[in-house]
Amino acid sequence: MSGQEFQSASIKEAMKGHFGSLQEEIDKNNALQGQLLRVQQEILEKQQQVLDRLAIMQSRIQAVLTQTYELHEYPIPRLFIVLPKFRLFFLCECGAHTKTERSRISHEIHLAKHEGYDVDRPTEFFEKYGSYVLTMMQMLKYGFAAAGIVVPPLAHFKLSDGIEALQENLNLAHKSIGPLVDGTISYIESQKGDDIDGLRVTADRAELNNLEVMEGADLRQLESYLSIRDKGRVLGNLYRVVTTDGNVKWVCIDHYRENYRESVMQHLRDIVAANNGIFTEEKGKIDIKIASGTLAKQFYEAMAKARRIQELDITLQWDVTLDDLRKFAVAVGNANILHLTMDGVNFKGPPLDTINRGRRYDPILQLMSNGRIQSLNLKNFKDFYQRVGSTAFAAAPRLRILSIDAKVSAVEQHSTSTQAKILKTCPRLDELSIESDNFSNMFLVLTSKTSTLQDLKVLTIRWMDSFVTTTLSQGKIRTVVLGISFSSPVFESAWDLIQRGHLTTLTVQDTPKESDNVRMEDILRRNSKLSEIKMVCYGKRAVEITRLITSMREKIISEGGACSLTKVELSDNSWNDDIVKTTVEFSENTIVPKISTSVRMLSYVPRDKSDRLAHLFRERGWSIGDLETDWSFGDNLAAILEESSKGGNSKLTSLALDPRSLTSDGLDRKGTEVACTTREGAELRDIGERVDRPLDAKVCERPSRRCLPELDTLRLFCPDKPQVAHDCAQWIAAMVSAPPQLPQPQTTTPSSQLPPGALSSDVSSSAAETWKSLQDISLKGVQLEPEDWKVVLETLDFTALEKMSFEDTNFSLEQLEVFVNAVPDGTSLESPLKVVQLGHTPLVKHDDAPVLQALYVKLEKKAPLAKIEGLWQLD
């Protein structure tokens, strides 16, 4: 054999050996793969078994939790677990049935608040109840939710309520019962053996054995297996409740109170409603009027059971006796009322209770000292001080606010003595309000009691419509507000108080006569701290009073006297229901006041040049900032308003003009040129800073906004929805347009050499013609042609615009697209636009919601704050 042949044979032998080894490895691998497949199959089978068992377990748990019992079938709690040492613990059956609208506690099944019970005869016990206990233990371990009942998994099971009992009886550590639960499950499984699941299989289906759910007899027998030490008490300290479905549940004290409270509160709601009362649950407040003692008893009982009422405002609508008030006082105490208001308007003194006449109000007075009342307000308690006995007084350290509507007369010794005794029992009062016909005397008496009433902060003395309110701090007077009429019977008694110089605010409730001018000056001179005067002032007298006070103030200051007066408010609503308010403001640095007036015309009769409103227009038309006219605004008032506004000093920022009594001559007046209507009679009304008048083409040619540079709201109203003429549409566009842009300074002088803030003459001239951007625009009822809509919308000034209304107009999808496109994109400054009102427009009937939504999205991108109102498609 040659060398080559030998070498080839050697190679073949070696390859055979290697292939043989490879085949052996392949065979081994195949065997392992087969074994692995068998293991995988076994795992899958076991997984399926586990899933089947879990499904069975869930069905068992659901069967237990959803089983219902009637009252007679359910003598003791049915949900419980058993832990090592054979100790049984009941569970609270809370769930959806215990939840209330304002519930703040958890409603997941949890351990009852009880130390548990030892199980006697455990072997017999588990033979009877083992399957049921296993179901409960598995429920606790894995958790479950069904039919409004939630059992959290063991990892999340809350033990805060029962952990102390468990720790004490089972040496539980780390607040975990997981090992104990597993121990019980293992024990039961070892006892049950092959019947571990408690199932009986027939006809290829599994059925729960008889004890998966327990009947009433089984429950009754359960108690015989327990070692009960607290005889006479309900097992587990649980309470039996009946759900709205009539099913019985056993719950802990917290859930019982939660559920019980709701039913009690509902009963209280029903009683309050039956008496036409108001129950404000958010504040725990009841306002109620009760017609009889029988109805009162029902209310008292319901209120006491609820125990959640903090404020009670009550009127007893019969003439109560001493016994009636005693019952009321007891009810208020039982209900823990903190703030009580009682109206005694019906308390006249029943003839049958004459013997108690001198102590009829003792129970009311004694309420002050019940340790709970913090605020007591007695309204219409005539002769209160005469109906309090000498033994009714007791310390009331918790009372903070006391108000008594009963006259304390300066000449009646008994009332003043009784009042003094009452105040002596209330050393912690913060606020006190009483009635007296002698302001000066009562003011001196009460402000001298600062050592007794050290915490008093507000003192109010009232008589009829007059009052004096004093604020104090650490016994010292801070402010004194007097509200009085110069013709009031108590004015003379208040004059001594006025002369003492304590006044900081004076409210005069009628128009002072000319004969009162001396008094007005005396008030200003003697009360250097007087900073504000509020006065009802009719007709021409308002102008005269303004001049009078202004000259008095100037005179006092020029003479070296002190005068703190900064504000005078004059109001008049007597001119055929017209409402006129004038505000006069003074500053320290000038004698000349700042005067502003608002007028709302509400007349039912025609006016002439002698009308009192005409006098105001003539004398103070220039000061009017807000003017809302009615049908009686005719050419004569328009002429007066124009005359008073000459010189360009008008302060008008708000105009609502009713054009029905205006002729073309009146409409041409400068004072009304901002209000227009069409020759066809379209009525445009601006309410607020607003306009309304027939639009005259000649008027529309004028630059109206220049006449009202401070106007910030324009509201046009066309109630009859006529088509607005083109000329008027042009006027609207001019009214809503942006102010003119200031031209760049044309000067050879470098800007760096100009003084700060200096402008060229051209720029200054243009600045005088500019105006404020509108914030609120309403075109309600305006009907425009599409071309005119386009002009108006593309002219809109969005610089300050926050609210835009197109309600009741013919504003359609085409106009909405133009409007959205006209809104600036917000790259330089975010749009302030907040509201776009489109109610009662053709868009309401538009059936292509996606198109509207797309435009809304586009609008939001440009104006993030904007919301479209009135379109159901965008709700």
Side-chain angles (χ1 to χ4, degrees):
M1 181 182 294
S2 64
Q4 291 181 345
E5 292 176 344
F6 178 81
Q7 186 176 7
S8 175
S10 298
I11 292 174
K12 288 180 180 181
E13 286 296 323
M15 291 182 66
K16 286 180 181 181
H18 286 300
F19 277 116
S21 300
L22 180 60
Q23 185 61 47
E24 291 178 2
E25 293 297 323
I26 291 174
D27 293 338
K28 290 180 181 180
N29 186 58
N30 289 336
L32 289 173
Q33 287 182 346
Q35 185 178 358
L36 180 60
L37 289 173
R38 288 191 297 272
V39 171
Q40 289 177 340
Q41 184 63 35
E42 292 175 0
I43 292 174
L44 290 174
E45 290 175 357
K46 289 183 178 181
Q47 287 178 341
Q48 187 61 49
Q49 291 176 3
V50 171
L51 292 174
D52 290 341
R53 291 185 62 182
L54 286 174
I56 294 171
M57 185 190 311
Q58 289 178 341
S59 65
R60 292 165 59 188
I61 295 171
Q62 183 165 0
V64 171
L65 293 184
T66 58
Q67 185 183 16
T68 59
Y69 294 87
E70 297 298 329
L71 189 62
H72 67 278
E73 298 175 320
Y74 205 177
I76 64 173
R78 67 184 179 113
L79 298 188
F80 56 86
I81 61 172
V82 179
L83 297 179
K85 296 186 178 180
F86 303 115
R87 195 162 184 86
L88 183 146
F89 297 89
F90 285 100
L91 304 177
C92 171
E93 290 184 71
C94 54
H97 50 278
T98 58
K99 287 184 179 179
T100 59
E101 185 178 352
R102 297 171 179 83
S103 178
R104 296 184 179 180
I105 62 176
S106 173
H107 292 268
E108 297 177 343
I109 286 180
H110 61 88
L111 288 173
K113 294 183 176 181
H114 192 273
E115 64 271 22
Y117 302 92
D118 290 331
V119 176
D120 294 334
R121 310 187 310 277
T123 302
E124 183 179 343
F125 173 85
F126 281 105
E127 287 180 356
K128 184 173 183 65
Y129 299 103
S131 297
Y132 182 86
V133 174
L134 180 61
T135 300
M136 292 292 96
M137 304 305 294
Q138 290 170 334
M139 175 189 74
L140 187 62
K141 181 173 182 177
Y142 300 108
F144 186 78
I149 299 174
V150 177
V151 183
L154 191 58
H156 303 288
F157 195 80
K158 296 180 180 179
L159 294 175
S160 57
D161 291 338
I163 190 65
E164 293 180 358
L166 284 174
Q167 286 179 323
E168 179 180 352
N169 290 281
L170 300 174
N171 297 321
L172 183 62
H174 308 299
K175 296 189 178 182
S176 173
I177 63 171
L180 303 180
V181 171
D182 289 336
T184 299
I185 292 175
S186 298
Y187 174 81
I188 297 175
E189 288 178 342
S190 65
Q191 293 293 315
K192 290 291 183 179
D194 295 335
D195 193 25
I196 188 173
D197 290 319
L199 298 177
R200 181 173 66 253
V201 181
T202 60
D204 296 325
R205 66 186 179 91
E207 296 180 347
L208 295 173
N209 67 30
N210 292 333
L211 271 180
E212 291 305 309
V213 292
M214 291 193 294
E215 302 298 333
D218 299 315
L219 286 171
R220 283 188 290 270
Q221 292 179 22
L222 174 64
E223 190 171 0
S224 66
Y225 291 93
L226 304 181
S227 177
I228 301 175
R229 298 176 184 175
D230 46 352
K231 297 291 183 180
R233 296 175 58 186
V234 178
L235 294 178
N237 289 338
L238 297 176
Y239 294 76
R240 184 170 60 185
V241 297
V242 180
T243 67
T244 55
D245 296 329
N247 298 318
V248 178
K249 304 288 182 182
W250 288 86
V251 299
C252 68
I253 183 63
D254 293 334
H255 290 103
Y256 174 76
R257 286 175 176 171
E258 185 85 351
N259 197 55
Y260 178 72
R261 182 185 302 128
E262 180 58 27
S263 63
V264 169
M265 294 301 289
Q266 185 58 52
H267 180 55
L268 178 60
R269 294 186 198 108
D270 294 341
I271 289 180
V272 172
N275 287 276
N276 298 314
I278 301 174
F279 186 6
T280 309
E281 295 191 49
E282 294 79 5
K283 297 181 179 180
K285 180 180 180 181
I286 292 179
D287 294 86
I288 193 170
K289 296 179 180 179
I290 302 180
S292 69
T294 301
L295 295 175
K297 181 180 179 182
Q298 295 175 354
F299 172 68
Y300 297 160
E301 291 175 351
M303 181 175 63
K305 289 179 180 179
R307 301 181 68 84
R308 287 183 60 184
I309 311 306
Q310 297 180 17
E311 298 183 52
L312 175 63
D313 190 331
I314 189 170
T315 301
L316 301 181
Q317 296 179 306
W318 75 95
D319 202 357
V320 297
T321 64
L322 173 63
D323 188 56
D324 291 330
L325 292 178
R326 283 173 174 167
K327 292 176 181 178
F328 171 76
V330 170
V332 169
N334 291 338
N336 290 323
I337 300 297
L338 301 179
H339 306 282
L340 173 63
T341 297
M342 190 176 193
D343 195 333
V345 66
N346 300 294
F347 302 167
K348 310 299 181 184
L352 296 179
D353 200 39
T354 303
I355 191 173
N356 296 314
R357 179 180 177 85
R359 59 193 184 105
R360 180 170 295 121
Y361 294 144
D362 283 10
I364 302 299
L365 189 61
Q366 290 163 355
L367 273 174
M368 295 166 45
S369 58
N370 72 356
R372 290 176 290 275
I373 290 289
Q374 298 178 16
S375 171
L376 180 61
N377 180 10
L378 303 179
K379 300 190 298 185
N380 300 308
F381 268 72
K382 184 180 179 180
D383 299 331
F384 176 79
Y385 299 107
Q386 288 75 25
R387 304 291 175 260
V388 175
S390 59
T391 62
F393 304 98
R398 296 202 63 185
L399 191 67
R400 296 291 183 270
I401 301 174
L402 176 62
S403 175
I404 304 177
D405 285 357
K407 178 183 175 182
V408 178
S409 175
V411 297
E412 211 285 303
Q413 182 63 33
H414 182 77
S415 62
T416 55
S417 173
T418 301
Q419 183 196 70
K421 292 178 181 178
I422 291 174
L423 296 181
K424 190 175 182 180
T425 66
C426 310
R428 301 295 302 280
L429 279 181
D430 289 331
E431 298 180 23
L432 173 63
S433 177
I434 56 100
E435 283 191 345
S436 176
D437 59 356
N438 192 321
F439 280 12
S440 297
N441 180 67
M442 191 56 59
F443 177 84
L444 291 175
V445 170
L446 295 179
T447 54
S448 65
K449 292 182 177 295
T450 53
S451 59
T452 303
L453 303 174
Q454 297 182 0
D455 295 335
L456 192 64
K457 296 180 177 62
V458 181
L459 167 64
T460 300
I461 305 169
R462 297 169 283 106
W463 184 244
M464 296 187 290
D465 294 331
S466 301
F467 66 90
V468 55
T469 298
T470 305
T471 61
L472 304 98
S473 177
Q474 297 179 345
K476 295 182 179 180
I477 297 173
R478 296 302 182 188
T479 64
V480 177
V481 179
L482 175 65
I484 201 166
S485 168
F486 279 13
S487 59
S488 171
V490 297
F491 184 82
E492 295 303 324
S493 73
W495 186 246
D496 182 59
L497 171 63
I498 293 172
Q499 291 183 313
R500 290 180 178 276
H502 293 302
L503 295 190
T504 55
T505 300
L506 173 65
T507 298
V508 182
Q509 298 164 343
D510 62 353
T511 301
K513 301 175 183 178
E514 290 187 15
S515 58
D516 294 320
N517 288 356
V518 175
R519 282 180 167 176
M520 285 296 301
E521 182 172 358
D522 199 15
I523 289 173
L524 281 175
R525 287 188 178 277
R526 292 180 179 274
N527 293 271
S528 60
K529 297 179 181 179
L530 183 62
S531 61
E532 185 174 359
I533 296 176
K534 299 178 181 180
M535 188 178 298
V536 175
C537 213
Y538 300 146
K540 298 179 182 180
R541 188 65 175 149
V543 176
E544 296 171 355
I545 287 292
T546 302
R547 290 173 178 165
L548 176 67
I549 292 177
T550 302
S551 62
M552 286 180 181
R553 177 179 180 274
E554 181 180 358
K555 183 179 179 180
I556 292 172
I557 294 175
S558 64
E559 294 174 354
C563 185
S564 302
L565 189 64
T566 58
K567 188 176 183 180
V568 177
E569 292 183 355
L570 308 175
S571 62
D572 177 4
N573 59 354
S574 66
W575 308 347
N576 298 314
D577 293 325
D578 290 338
I579 299 175
V580 181
K581 295 182 179 180
T582 300
T583 301
V584 184
E585 296 178 291
F586 300 96
S587 64
E588 296 181 0
N589 302 323
T590 179
I591 298 297
V592 180
K594 176 183 177 182
I595 302 176
S596 60
T597 305
S598 67
V599 179
R600 184 183 181 190
M601 298 173 59
L602 297 170
S603 178
Y604 298 99
V605 297
R607 302 176 188 271
D608 54 36
K609 291 187 178 180
S610 63
D611 183 85
R612 288 179 291 184
L613 190 59
H615 181 269
L616 175 66
F617 276 24
R618 189 178 296 111
E619 294 290 331
R620 292 282 167 78
W622 54 268
S623 72
I624 298 176
D626 300 285
L627 173 60
E628 182 177 343
T629 74
D630 62 5
W631 69 276
S632 66
F633 186 82
D635 290 357
N636 60 325
L637 289 181
I640 296 172
L641 185 60
E642 179 189 37
E643 184 68 23
S644 67
S645 300
K646 283 184 176 180
N649 60 347
S650 174
K651 296 182 179 180
L652 194 63
T653 59
S654 172
L655 175 62
L657 184 62
D658 187 327
R660 286 174 288 178
S661 297
L662 289 171
T663 66
S664 59
D665 179 65
L667 294 170
D668 196 34
R669 298 292 180 179
K670 184 175 181 181
T672 60
E673 64 184 1
V674 292
C676 310
T677 344
T678 63
R679 294 184 183 277
E680 291 78 13
E683 180 179 320
L684 300 181
R685 187 176 181 187
D686 160 64
I687 303 213
E689 286 104 316
R690 53 202 183 185
V691 180
D692 178 24
R693 65 171 277 186
L695 293 181
D696 189 307
K698 178 173 61 175
V699 175
C700 293
E701 294 174 358
R702 297 179 177 178
S704 303
R705 283 304 308 278
R706 292 189 179 117
C707 301
L708 293 176
E710 297 300 316
L711 196 71
D712 57 18
T713 300
L714 176 67
R715 298 179 183 172
L716 310 181
F717 179 41
C718 296
D720 298 326
K721 300 183 180 179
Q723 195 71 29
V724 176
H726 175 71
D727 290 340
C728 298
Q730 293 289 82
W731 173 81
I732 295 174
M735 290 295 291
V736 301
S737 64
Q741 296 291 323
L742 296 180
Q744 295 296 321
Q746 301 295 324
T747 176
T748 56
T749 305
S751 59
S752 60
Q753 298 179 21
L754 289 173
L759 296 175
S760 68
S761 60
D762 292 338
V763 175
S764 299
S765 176
S766 299
E769 298 179 351
T770 191
W771 55 81
K772 182 188 295 184
S773 295
L774 294 174
Q775 298 176 9
D776 187 342
I777 300 175
S778 174
L779 305 179
K780 189 171 184 178
V782 174
Q783 312 292 308
L784 298 178
E785 295 290 344
E787 297 80 7
D788 291 330
W789 269 122
K790 190 171 188 297
V791 172
V792 170
L793 296 174
E794 291 181 343
T795 310
L796 272 174
D797 177 15
F798 289 92
T799 305
L801 187 61
E802 296 182 359
K803 183 177 181 180
M804 184 74 230
S805 176
F806 298 104
E807 287 187 306
D808 289 311
T809 69
N810 59 345
F811 191 89
S812 65
L813 182 64
E814 178 183 352
Q815 282 76 58
L816 182 58
E817 291 175 345
V818 175
F819 175 78
V820 173
N821 290 333
V823 178
D825 58 12
T827 54
S828 58
L829 185 65
E830 185 176 286
S831 172
L833 187 63
K834 296 178 181 178
V835 178
V836 180
Q837 295 177 329
L838 298 176
H840 304 288
T841 66
L843 289 171
V844 175
K845 299 180 180 180
H846 193 76
D847 56 2
D848 195 347
V851 173
L852 292 176
Q853 291 169 354
L855 286 173
Y856 189 17
V857 171
K858 185 176 180 180
L859 175 63
E860 285 185 314
K861 289 181 179 179
K862 291 186 171 185
L865 302 177
K867 300 296 180 184
I868 292 180
E869 297 180 351
L871 295 185
W872 61 269
Q873 301 93 328
L874 302 179
D875 291 341

